Amino acid sequence: MSRSAHPAGPRHADVLPEGQYSAPPTDLNALDSKVWAETVTRDTDGVLTVGGIDVRRLAEEFGTPAYFLDEDDFRARARSWRTAFGDDADVFYAGKAFLSRAVVRWLHEEGLNLDVCSGGELATALSAGMPAERIAFHGNNKSTDEIRRAVEAGVGRIVLDSFQEIVRVAHIAQELGTRQRVQIRITVGVEAHTHEFIATAHEDQKFGIPLAGGQAAEAVRRALTLDGLELIGIHSHIGSQIFDMSGFEVAAHRVVGLLRDIRDEHGVELPEIDLGGGLGIAYTSDDDPREPHEIAKALTEIVTRECDAARLATPRISVEPGRAIVGPTAFTLYEVGTVKPLDGLRTYVSVDGGMSDNIRTALYDAEYSVALASRVSEAEPMLCRVVGKHCESGDIVVKDAFLPGDLAPGDLIAVPATGAYCRSMASNYNHVLRPPVVAVRDGEARVIVRRETEEDLLRLDVG
Ligand code: LLP
């Protein structure tokens, strides 16, 4: 996946002889603004603060582990995507990155739309007042019940992912006496430079309908003949945590090629294209993500150029950023437990969470940064591995990190850039309770997703 997810360089501890890690940062107390939420800073005592609140106070009030989300930063990022694309395009926040009712309200207020991909996400969106017409419904295996609920609610679009689904959605819409606006998700055959598990536009995987072999054209043919469907456009999502725009360029070229073929065959110019999400964020100082205005400019130019060449009117563009909006806005705060130096290797720092609140390191070999949060220290850097409390040796939160040599049980450490795909992929492994998400803004902190309790766990266990 990104440079940070594939630590192929000299930071990869496992392939290097002892002592050959890249040099520790000169100042372990410094905070690289690339990876931290906008309002995170150190106060005069050196304690990390977010939204003006000291993390020791936050830990006392909300416990650890916990995700702290900078609401102003979230809103600013959402707004900057919205502004960058302007009124001729639509921004759908991808709810899978992290969704809660508060987030839905912020998105609504900031003028964004929402991409959901399950009945649960749809229910969350509707219950927080997102207008149904601003919702896109995704998924490679939507159930009949989910489709029915989406059509009944009046979602703005359903993104069709298979031939079977084309028929299924058409039938349900007809049964309900309506015409459902739909897009068809195609796979354009692009190899996105990202981790295999989150690349989605090559042909040998479960999403979308391949452009190759005329399958996408055949899907369009069928959709155009069904009364229950109003085909509004073509969708392509090439993968996630991508820095290189060339994949989007190829995707746009091929999607526009299909629009041209559709015009030539059916005399219809589809009015919309969706280029999905997937823009990368900084997990470490080595990552250099692009700003929304650069992305908007690049994508708009590509589509306009391709459409001009095909003599098509430029369709309305939509995008679906998830990680790029929420990822950088939160950090996870942990309390340090056992500190175990292993001679000649590294020091294992155990925290009170782990793979249940951040599965990304175990699943994608993702890289993260970490900082001592409850104080500053002038102690020598020590090479650490931050690990969780689960019964797995793969339970790693930060694979290679330098922390001060005087780190001790009771210290608080913070892992930045955990806003996306951490709480949303959290589990109850080992019956560990999922942490809360606390939104912080202007000196005030409020729980937006509460901590799970043992009662919650036992309530499900009805045997
Ligand atoms: N649109 C569609 C159709 C998607 O499938 C996704 C992500 C997005 C938009 C948003 O992508 P983003 O902008 O957040 O990259 N769990 C993995 C990422 C899986 C992404 C799944 N689809 C991770 O933690 O890296």
Side-chain angles (χ1 to χ4, degrees), residues 49-65:
T49 70
V50 55
I53 312 182
D54 174 331
V55 291
R56 289 174 312 189
R57 219 186 93 199
L58 291 171
E60 223 173 85
E61 188 171 345
F62 301 103
T64 55

PDB file of all heavy atoms in Angstrom, residues 49-65:
ATOM      1  N   THR A  49      -1.741  18.264  24.109  1.00  0.00           N
ATOM      2  CA  THR A  49      -3.118  18.756  24.240  1.00  0.00           C
ATOM      3  C   THR A  49      -3.802  18.679  22.886  1.00  0.00           C
ATOM      4  O   THR A  49      -3.146  18.739  21.851  1.00  0.00           O
ATOM      5  CB  THR A  49      -3.174  20.240  24.712  1.00  0.00           C
ATOM      6  OG1 THR A  49      -2.709  21.059  23.649  1.00  0.00           O
ATOM      7  CG2 THR A  49      -2.342  20.491  25.952  1.00  0.00           C
ATOM      8  N   VAL A  50      -5.115  18.546  22.926  1.00  0.00           N
ATOM      9  CA  VAL A  50      -5.915  18.597  21.698  1.00  0.00           C
ATOM     10  C   VAL A  50      -7.130  19.464  21.991  1.00  0.00           C
ATOM     11  O   VAL A  50      -7.725  19.350  23.070  1.00  0.00           O
ATOM     12  CB  VAL A  50      -6.309  17.181  21.200  1.00  0.00           C
ATOM     13  CG1 VAL A  50      -7.034  16.366  22.253  1.00  0.00           C
ATOM     14  CG2 VAL A  50      -7.144  17.266  19.920  1.00  0.00           C
ATOM     15  N   GLY A  51      -7.461  20.350  21.071  1.00  0.00           N
ATOM     16  CA  GLY A  51      -8.588  21.266  21.296  1.00  0.00           C
ATOM     17  C   GLY A  51      -8.405  22.044  22.590  1.00  0.00           C
ATOM     18  O   GLY A  51      -9.369  22.425  23.239  1.00  0.00           O
ATOM     19  N   GLY A  52      -7.158  22.229  22.991  1.00  0.00           N
ATOM     20  CA  GLY A  52      -6.869  22.988  24.218  1.00  0.00           C
ATOM     21  C   GLY A  52      -6.951  22.140  25.484  1.00  0.00           C
ATOM     22  O   GLY A  52      -6.809  22.676  26.589  1.00  0.00           O
ATOM     23  N   ILE A  53      -7.171  20.843  25.381  1.00  0.00           N
ATOM     24  CA  ILE A  53      -7.289  20.021  26.599  1.00  0.00           C
ATOM     25  C   ILE A  53      -6.103  19.062  26.720  1.00  0.00           C
ATOM     26  O   ILE A  53      -5.727  18.375  25.771  1.00  0.00           O
ATOM     27  CB  ILE A  53      -8.604  19.209  26.626  1.00  0.00           C
ATOM     28  CG1 ILE A  53      -9.800  20.097  26.286  1.00  0.00           C
ATOM     29  CG2 ILE A  53      -8.797  18.568  27.993  1.00  0.00           C
ATOM     30  CD1 ILE A  53     -11.127  19.383  26.348  1.00  0.00           C
ATOM     31  N   ASP A  54      -5.590  19.026  27.918  1.00  0.00           N
ATOM     32  CA  ASP A  54      -4.450  18.211  28.310  1.00  0.00           C
ATOM     33  C   ASP A  54      -4.835  16.714  28.282  1.00  0.00           C
ATOM     34  O   ASP A  54      -5.883  16.339  28.808  1.00  0.00           O
ATOM     35  CB  ASP A  54      -4.163  18.712  29.737  1.00  0.00           C
ATOM     36  CG  ASP A  54      -3.126  17.979  30.490  1.00  0.00           C
ATOM     37  OD1 ASP A  54      -2.942  16.783  30.247  1.00  0.00           O
ATOM     38  OD2 ASP A  54      -2.502  18.631  31.346  1.00  0.00           O
ATOM     39  N   VAL A  55      -3.986  15.882  27.680  1.00  0.00           N
ATOM     40  CA  VAL A  55      -4.362  14.459  27.581  1.00  0.00           C
ATOM     41  C   VAL A  55      -4.436  13.753  28.933  1.00  0.00           C
ATOM     42  O   VAL A  55      -5.125  12.741  29.064  1.00  0.00           O
ATOM     43  CB  VAL A  55      -3.417  13.656  26.652  1.00  0.00           C
ATOM     44  CG1 VAL A  55      -3.572  14.066  25.208  1.00  0.00           C
ATOM     45  CG2 VAL A  55      -1.969  13.713  27.098  1.00  0.00           C
ATOM     46  N   ARG A  56      -3.717  14.284  29.942  1.00  0.00           N
ATOM     47  CA  ARG A  56      -3.827  13.627  31.261  1.00  0.00           C
ATOM     48  C   ARG A  56      -5.243  13.798  31.789  1.00  0.00           C
ATOM     49  O   ARG A  56      -5.829  12.903  32.376  1.00  0.00           O
ATOM     50  CB  ARG A  56      -2.819  14.227  32.245  1.00  0.00           C
ATOM     51  CG  ARG A  56      -1.377  13.841  31.931  1.00  0.00           C
ATOM     52  CD  ARG A  56      -0.433  14.561  32.824  1.00  0.00           C
ATOM     53  NE  ARG A  56      -0.762  15.988  32.856  1.00  0.00           N
ATOM     54  CZ  ARG A  56      -0.021  16.925  33.412  1.00  0.00           C
ATOM     55  NH1 ARG A  56       1.102  16.595  34.020  1.00  0.00           N
ATOM     56  NH2 ARG A  56      -0.376  18.195  33.394  1.00  0.00           N
ATOM     57  N   ARG A  57      -5.799  14.997  31.543  1.00  0.00           N
ATOM     58  CA  ARG A  57      -7.184  15.244  31.965  1.00  0.00           C
ATOM     59  C   ARG A  57      -8.148  14.370  31.161  1.00  0.00           C
ATOM     60  O   ARG A  57      -9.098  13.796  31.698  1.00  0.00           O
ATOM     61  CB  ARG A  57      -7.511  16.725  31.725  1.00  0.00           C
ATOM     62  CG  ARG A  57      -8.368  17.319  32.829  1.00  0.00           C
ATOM     63  CD  ARG A  57      -8.765  18.728  32.470  1.00  0.00           C
ATOM     64  NE  ARG A  57     -10.068  18.751  31.792  1.00  0.00           N
ATOM     65  CZ  ARG A  57     -10.491  19.767  31.053  1.00  0.00           C
ATOM     66  NH1 ARG A  57      -9.723  20.825  30.856  1.00  0.00           N
ATOM     67  NH2 ARG A  57     -11.692  19.720  30.499  1.00  0.00           N
ATOM     68  N   LEU A  58      -7.864  14.250  29.875  1.00  0.00           N
ATOM     69  CA  LEU A  58      -8.744  13.427  29.030  1.00  0.00           C
ATOM     70  C   LEU A  58      -8.709  11.971  29.487  1.00  0.00           C
ATOM     71  O   LEU A  58      -9.740  11.298  29.576  1.00  0.00           O
ATOM     72  CB  LEU A  58      -8.320  13.538  27.559  1.00  0.00           C
ATOM     73  CG  LEU A  58      -8.571  14.894  26.888  1.00  0.00           C
ATOM     74  CD1 LEU A  58      -7.911  14.950  25.510  1.00  0.00           C
ATOM     75  CD2 LEU A  58     -10.078  15.176  26.764  1.00  0.00           C
ATOM     76  N   ALA A  59      -7.500  11.496  29.807  1.00  0.00           N
ATOM     77  CA  ALA A  59      -7.365  10.097  30.238  1.00  0.00           C
ATOM     78  C   ALA A  59      -8.109   9.877  31.544  1.00  0.00           C
ATOM     79  O   ALA A  59      -8.758   8.853  31.756  1.00  0.00           O
ATOM     80  CB  ALA A  59      -5.890   9.739  30.385  1.00  0.00           C
ATOM     81  N   GLU A  60      -8.024  10.877  32.421  1.00  0.00           N
ATOM     82  CA  GLU A  60      -8.696  10.746  33.708  1.00  0.00           C
ATOM     83  C   GLU A  60     -10.201  10.688  33.529  1.00  0.00           C
ATOM     84  O   GLU A  60     -10.892   9.882  34.138  1.00  0.00           O
ATOM     85  CB  GLU A  60      -8.338  11.974  34.547  1.00  0.00           C
ATOM     86  CG  GLU A  60      -8.012  11.648  35.991  1.00  0.00           C
ATOM     87  CD  GLU A  60      -7.515  12.921  36.645  1.00  0.00           C
ATOM     88  OE1 GLU A  60      -8.375  13.724  37.105  1.00  0.00           O
ATOM     89  OE2 GLU A  60      -6.284  13.101  36.635  1.00  0.00           O
ATOM     90  N   GLU A  61     -10.688  11.546  32.653  1.00  0.00           N
ATOM     91  CA  GLU A  61     -12.142  11.626  32.487  1.00  0.00           C
ATOM     92  C   GLU A  61     -12.707  10.489  31.630  1.00  0.00           C
ATOM     93  O   GLU A  61     -13.772   9.955  31.929  1.00  0.00           O
ATOM     94  CB  GLU A  61     -12.497  12.977  31.842  1.00  0.00           C
ATOM     95  CG  GLU A  61     -13.987  13.202  31.816  1.00  0.00           C
ATOM     96  CD  GLU A  61     -14.345  14.620  31.389  1.00  0.00           C
ATOM     97  OE1 GLU A  61     -13.458  15.498  31.389  1.00  0.00           O
ATOM     98  OE2 GLU A  61     -15.534  14.816  31.047  1.00  0.00           O
ATOM     99  N   PHE A  62     -11.996  10.095  30.597  1.00  0.00           N
ATOM    100  CA  PHE A  62     -12.581   9.139  29.648  1.00  0.00           C
ATOM    101  C   PHE A  62     -11.907   7.776  29.656  1.00  0.00           C
ATOM    102  O   PHE A  62     -12.372   6.852  29.013  1.00  0.00           O
ATOM    103  CB  PHE A  62     -12.538   9.720  28.222  1.00  0.00           C
ATOM    104  CG  PHE A  62     -13.272  11.021  28.112  1.00  0.00           C
ATOM    105  CD1 PHE A  62     -12.578  12.220  28.053  1.00  0.00           C
ATOM    106  CD2 PHE A  62     -14.659  11.049  28.100  1.00  0.00           C
ATOM    107  CE1 PHE A  62     -13.257  13.426  27.970  1.00  0.00           C
ATOM    108  CE2 PHE A  62     -15.344  12.256  28.013  1.00  0.00           C
ATOM    109  CZ  PHE A  62     -14.641  13.454  27.955  1.00  0.00           C
ATOM    110  N   GLY A  63     -10.802   7.658  30.383  1.00  0.00           N
ATOM    111  CA  GLY A  63     -10.084   6.380  30.440  1.00  0.00           C
ATOM    112  C   GLY A  63      -9.245   6.164  29.185  1.00  0.00           C
ATOM    113  O   GLY A  63      -9.279   6.937  28.239  1.00  0.00           O
ATOM    114  N   THR A  64      -8.485   5.063  29.228  1.00  0.00           N
ATOM    115  CA  THR A  64      -7.692   4.659  28.059  1.00  0.00           C
ATOM    116  C   THR A  64      -7.948   3.175  27.838  1.00  0.00           C
ATOM    117  O   THR A  64      -8.350   2.485  28.774  1.00  0.00           O
ATOM    118  CB  THR A  64      -6.177   4.886  28.282  1.00  0.00           C
ATOM    119  OG1 THR A  64      -5.783   4.198  29.478  1.00  0.00           O
ATOM    120  CG2 THR A  64      -5.827   6.352  28.344  1.00  0.00           C
ATOM    121  N   PRO A  65      -7.741   2.660  26.643  1.00  0.00           N
ATOM    122  CA  PRO A  65      -7.460   3.420  25.443  1.00  0.00           C
ATOM    123  C   PRO A  65      -8.703   4.188  24.996  1.00  0.00           C
ATOM    124  O   PRO A  65      -9.828   3.807  25.331  1.00  0.00           O
ATOM    125  CB  PRO A  65      -7.092   2.341  24.426  1.00  0.00           C
ATOM    126  CG  PRO A  65      -7.760   1.101  24.910  1.00  0.00           C
ATOM    127  CD  PRO A  65      -7.807   1.208  26.399  1.00  0.00           C
TER     128      PRO A  65
END
